[in-house]
């Protein structure tokens, strides 16, 4: 049978969604609290200062960055935790035994990642909005970077989950790859504040384009050229989705 | 039509270990088929290839006339597999797991069938608990329910009763027998050989990655099984190497401290006398002797040349 297993895809999406909804405190409430804590700390540390070169106050600059950072981290966590838990607890065999093609599996996993990212992003926006007069200026940019960022990170989470054999392997990816790239991507500062060498290096950091582009959807200004950023994000996202699909298809690190 | 036709299946792992060597096997449709073999013989590798959790190195597998290795989606919809290792999703209850599993096989929710499965596998009381709270035996039964929830035509049970108590095991087998009577083909691996002998009408024995016997249970026990001369001595027997050599012609084994010698039958005559004299010469006059017909376990041990020989 070559037709798509729509019910199977929908069921897998539901399973991946219910999984994160079962632990709401960890997946939704905790990122919201972390973002509020960041805001409080930076509010007192930075006062009423403006971000150099962007003509926007630091507080307003910070909120979209924090939102996007949480969205990216949660999109990654949704697929990576599902994969690594499945491997450790051996439940991944049920997925491999089911008549779900690589395309169907990817649609289900990545849709759940996007949903989790947007749920977390929306909760953060609702929690942080009272602290600021943030406006939405380009909805399409917020949606474009939000969706692409979630697909990018969801795919990365799938690949990291396939690669990892232990929770320690996964922790290594999270702490030594994802965290540094996120923190050094301009969530907390404008890259124009960096020395020229770091500015050049930042041009190779995909998180920089995702966070800066998402932020431009709110404050209508940023550090990256919009056309260049959209191109970079599209190429990186499509490439990573295709890579995740291919690795799933060949059963990389899943099948002997 | 056959349920499963396996031809020249080979599996060489990355480590270089050859787990399966030109395995060919036919499982007729509607039978209760036992796949037996010592630990590490290749049974699980074979099952995992059928389940698509391990890749075959070469060979072909046909399920109900469809090429399983190229028409995976079709094959998976008609195959249910109980994996050997206990696995459970700690986030969900047995009922949710069964609904999810059925949905992933592309089948609409069927509350009545899920309830029936939960009841027959004695999980109804625990249907809404989180799976972490289930005992080992319950988790094993949940695996059986998961393999059956999409009503497959062929079911593979990889040691489904390990850790399940005797009473529950009996009821589980009654249920599987019912499904088999309704037309479901069952392929079973188990270390409980008495169970296999009682349940299965066909048997294959696999050893060191090769099929060494595959026939109906009746013909295996009729053709291959023979009788044993059993000699009991004052002390439980422990065979020395020299005694094994002296008794080599009778495939000597020690079962519960009793020496068992394989008897050959030809034209209505057996070599009983020669076996008795050989036992006397090697170990002395026995306290007691008796003849015992071989069962599946004896045949299995003899064919796989193991342990107590």
């Amino acid at each position: 049978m070559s037709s798509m297993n729509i019910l199977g895809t929908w069921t897998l999406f539901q399973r991946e969604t219910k999984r994160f909804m079962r632990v709401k405190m960890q997946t939704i409430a905790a990122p919201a609290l972390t973002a509020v804590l960041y805001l409080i700390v930076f509010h007192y540390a930075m006062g009423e200062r403006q971000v150099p070169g962007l003509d926007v106050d630091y507080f307003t600059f910070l909120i979209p960055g924090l939102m996007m950072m949480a969205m990216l981290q949660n999109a990654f966590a949704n697929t990576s935790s599902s994969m690594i838990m499945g491997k450790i607890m051996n439940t991944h065999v049920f997925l491999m035994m089911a008549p779900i093609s690589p395309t169907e599996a990817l649609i289900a996993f990545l849709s759940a990642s996007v949903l989790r990212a947007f749920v977390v992003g929306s909760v953060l926006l609702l929690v942080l909005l009272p602290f600021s007069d943030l406006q939405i200026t380009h909805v399409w940019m917020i949606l474009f970077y939000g969706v692409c960022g979630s697909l990018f990170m969801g795919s990365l989470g799938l690949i990291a989950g396939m690669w990892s054999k232990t929770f320690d392997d996964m922790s290594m990816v999270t702490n030594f790859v994802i965290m540094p790239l996120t923190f050094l991507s301009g969530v907390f500062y404008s890259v124009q504040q960096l020395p020229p060498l770091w500015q050049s290096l930042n041009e190779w950091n995909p998180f920089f384009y995702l966070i800066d582009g998402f932020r431009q959807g709110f404050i209508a200004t940023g550090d990256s050229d919009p056309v260049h950023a959209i191109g970079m994000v599209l190429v990186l996202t499509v490439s990573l989705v295709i890579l995740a699909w291919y690795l799933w298809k060949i059963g990389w690190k899943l099948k002997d | 039509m056959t349920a499963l036709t396996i031809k020249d299946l080979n599996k060489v792992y990355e480590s270089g270990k050859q787990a399966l060597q030109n395995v060919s096997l036919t499982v007729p449709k509607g039978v209760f088929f036992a796949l037996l073999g010592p630990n590490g013989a290749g049974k699980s590798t074979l099952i995992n290839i059928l389940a698509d959790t391990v890749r075959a190195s070469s060979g072909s597998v046909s399920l109900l006339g469809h090429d399983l290795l190229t028409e995976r989606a079709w094959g998976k919809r008609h195959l249910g597999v109980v994996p050997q290792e206990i696995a459970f999703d700690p986030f969900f209850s047995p009922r949710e797991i069964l609904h999810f599993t059925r949905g992933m096989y592309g089948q609409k929710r069927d509350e009545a069938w899920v309830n029936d499965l939960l009841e027959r596998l004695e999980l109804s009381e625990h249907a809404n608990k989180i799976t972490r709270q289930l005992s080992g035996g319950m988790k094993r039964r949940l695996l059986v329910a998961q393999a059956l929830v999409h009503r497959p035509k062929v079911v593979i049970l990889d040691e489904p009763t390990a850790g399940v108590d005797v009473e529950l095991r009996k009821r589980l087998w009654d249920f599987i027998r019912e499904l088999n009577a309704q037309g479901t083909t069952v392929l079973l691996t188990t270390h409980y050989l008495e169970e296999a002998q009682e349940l299965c009408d066909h048997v294959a024995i696999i050893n060191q990655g090769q099929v060494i016997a595959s026939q109906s249970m009746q013909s295996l026990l009729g053709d291959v099984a023979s009788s044993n001369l059993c000699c009991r001595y004052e002390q439980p027997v422990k065979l020395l190497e020299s005694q094994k050599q002296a008794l080599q012609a009778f495939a000597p084994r020690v079962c519960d401290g009793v020496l068992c010698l394989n008897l050959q039958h030809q034209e209505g005559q057996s070599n009983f006398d020669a076996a008795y004299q050989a036992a006397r010469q090697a170990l002395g006059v026995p306290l007691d002797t008796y003849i015992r017909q071989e069962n599946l376990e004896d045949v299995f041990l003899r064919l796989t040349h193991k342990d107590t020989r």
Side-chain angles (χ1 to χ4, degrees):
Chain A
M1 189 179 289
S2 58
S3 62
M4 191 175 166
N5 181 1
I6 294 170
L7 185 56
T9 311
W10 171 245
T11 306
L12 183 57
F13 165 75
Q14 280 185 308
R15 194 190 79 172
E16 293 308 301
T17 306
K18 276 195 178 173
R19 196 192 301 280
F20 80 78
M21 291 304 284
R22 283 281 151 90
V23 280
K24 289 187 274 294
M25 290 305 286
Q26 181 194 328
T27 54
I28 298 168
L33 178 66
T34 308
V36 171
L37 290 175
Y38 273 129
L39 268 189
I40 293 169
V41 168
F42 282 98
H43 177 66
Y44 286 107
M46 306 301 285
E48 301 298 318
R49 272 180 239 182
Q50 296 271 304
V51 180
L54 290 183
D55 193 27
V56 59
D57 70 86
Y58 190 74
F59 208 64
T60 306
F61 173 86
L62 196 57
I63 290 175
L66 286 174
M67 268 177 70
M68 189 56 166
M69 184 172 82
M71 287 171 73
L72 296 177
Q73 286 173 345
N74 275 272
F76 178 84
N78 213 51
T79 45
S80 62
S81 63
S82 180
M83 286 303 298
I84 188 68
M85 275 190 53
K87 280 173 85 172
I88 302 265
M89 305 200 75
N90 208 33
T91 50
H92 72 303
V93 295
F94 298 117
L95 189 54
M96 290 156 73
M97 291 193 301
I100 292 189
S101 69
T103 307
E104 291 157 357
L106 225 68
I107 290 172
F109 273 111
L110 295 184
S111 305
S113 266
V114 172
L115 180 67
R116 175 162 163 185
F118 273 84
V119 168
V120 170
S122 305
V123 170
L124 255 67
L125 187 63
L126 290 173
V127 170
L128 300 180
L129 216 50
F131 298 95
S132 155
D133 55 356
L134 192 68
Q135 303 282 321
I136 293 174
T137 49
H138 301 299
V139 178
W140 70 268
M141 285 184 98
I142 294 169
L143 290 176
F144 172 80
Y145 285 102
V147 170
C148 284
S150 309
L151 291 175
F152 179 85
M153 292 301 281
S155 303
L156 199 61
L158 272 180
I159 296 167
M162 284 187 242
W163 173 78
S164 300
K165 284 185 181 156
T166 62
F167 285 117
D168 204 38
D169 289 341
M170 183 55 76
S171 161
M172 193 175 84
V173 177
T174 310
N175 293 311
F176 293 93
V177 180
I178 306 296
M179 285 292 271
L181 284 174
T182 321
F183 272 73
L184 299 174
S185 62
V187 174
F188 301 101
Y189 51 80
S190 160
V191 290
Q192 292 176 40
Q193 295 168 260
L194 296 175
L197 174 67
W198 282 99
Q199 283 191 38
S200 309
L201 285 177
N202 225 34
E203 284 177 21
W204 296 97
N205 181 357
F207 293 69
F208 160 65
Y209 296 102
L210 290 167
I211 288 171
D212 189 67
F214 184 79
R215 184 186 282 128
Q216 288 193 42
F218 289 92
I219 63 174
T221 179
D223 293 321
S224 61
D225 168 52
V227 176
H228 178 65
I230 287 171
M232 281 290 280
V233 166
L234 270 179
V235 168
L236 287 168
T237 305
V238 171
S239 306
L240 213 59
V241 170
I242 291 173
L243 180 64
W245 175 85
Y246 174 72
L247 293 176
W248 187 278
K249 186 175 162 34
I250 62 167
W252 184 63
K253 306 275 183 187
L254 294 173
K255 290 183 197 176
D256 288 316
Chain B
M1 190 200 277
T2 59
L4 265 173
T5 308
I6 299 166
K7 275 189 193 158
D8 300 324
L9 198 64
N10 285 283
K11 175 62 192 176
V12 183
Y13 285 104
E14 274 178 23
S15 62
K17 180 183 163 34
Q18 177 139 25
L20 296 177
Q21 208 177 325
N22 294 320
V23 167
S24 293
L25 203 61
T26 302
V27 178
K29 201 174 167 191
V31 299
F32 210 129
F33 194 102
L35 178 66
L36 308 176
N39 287 333
K43 303 182 299 293
S44 289
T45 298
L46 176 58
I47 288 172
N48 290 339
I49 289 173
L50 301 178
D52 196 25
T53 58
V54 166
R55 279 185 289 253
S57 300
S58 64
S60 66
V61 183
S62 153
L63 178 86
L64 300 165
H66 291 254
D67 187 333
L68 189 63
L69 304 184
T70 56
E71 296 177 65
R72 271 293 183 194
W74 189 94
K76 286 176 175 189
R77 283 173 199 261
H78 296 90
L79 188 66
V81 181
V82 178
Q84 193 181 103
E85 278 181 53
I86 287 185
F88 64 95
D89 195 323
F91 285 90
F92 304 117
S93 67
R95 184 182 295 284
E96 286 174 311
I97 286 176
L98 293 182
H99 284 309
F100 281 143
T101 306
R102 193 173 159 81
M104 282 180 7
Y105 279 81
Q107 295 191 9
K108 285 183 186 162
R109 210 176 164 92
D110 186 344
E111 201 70 51
W113 175 233
V114 166
N115 283 336
D116 196 23
L117 275 176
L118 288 166
E119 197 181 314
R120 294 303 300 267
L121 293 161
E122 305 190 31
L123 289 166
S124 295
E125 264 183 59
H126 315 283
N128 299 315
K129 287 181 183 171
I130 294 299
T131 42
R132 239 193 330 251
Q133 298 170 306
L134 304 185
S135 69
M138 290 174 196
K139 285 174 192 154
R140 184 78 66 186
R141 270 138 51 209
L142 177 58
L143 292 182
V144 176
Q146 267 183 276
L148 299 174
V149 73
H150 60 290
R151 295 185 188 269
K153 290 183 176 147
V154 179
V155 178
I156 298 176
L157 307 159
D158 195 356
E159 306 206 18
T161 50
V164 177
D165 71 49
V166 183
E167 278 289 303
L168 280 168
R169 215 155 66 200
K170 191 179 166 308
R171 290 200 285 272
L172 172 68
W173 289 131
D174 287 344
F175 180 41
I176 302 290
R177 250 198 283 238
E178 261 178 52
L179 293 173
N180 179 238
Q182 289 161 15
T184 306
T185 306
V186 182
L187 191 151
L188 163 74
T189 79
T190 179
H191 286 295
Y192 300 110
L193 298 183
E194 281 172 28
E195 266 179 6
Q197 185 173 348
E198 193 191 324
L199 289 163
C200 300
D201 33 34
H202 279 67
V203 61
I205 298 176
I206 187 166
N207 193 30
Q208 296 178 340
Q210 291 177 302
V211 175
I212 55 172
S214 178
Q215 56 201 109
S216 73
M217 186 69 78
Q218 200 177 12
S219 72
L220 182 84
L221 293 177
D223 297 349
V224 182
S226 56
S227 51
N228 283 320
L229 167 65
C230 300
C231 304
R232 194 196 317 276
Y233 288 86
E234 208 168 338
Q235 299 293 325
V237 173
K238 280 182 186 165
L239 285 176
L240 303 172
E241 205 48 51
S242 58
Q243 291 166 329
K244 283 184 191 173
Q245 290 290 331
L247 297 167
Q248 199 178 11
F250 305 99
R253 291 189 292 117
V254 177
C255 307
D256 300 326
V258 176
L259 173 68
C260 295
L261 300 178
N262 186 238
L263 297 178
Q264 304 292 321
H265 297 262
Q266 240 175 7
E267 295 169 6
Q269 297 286 311
S270 85
N271 57 348
F272 171 86
D273 198 44
Y276 181 73
Q277 291 306 329
R280 268 188 64 169
Q281 278 180 13
L283 286 100
V285 178
L287 280 182
D288 180 20
T289 57
Y290 55 92
I291 302 291
R292 189 169 65 83
Q293 195 64 32
E294 279 194 324
N295 59 18
L296 181 60
E297 188 171 333
D298 297 314
V299 176
F300 174 82
L301 287 172
R302 193 148 54 76
L303 291 178
T304 53
H305 320 278
K306 284 291 170 192
D307 307 331
T308 48
R309 180 171 284 194

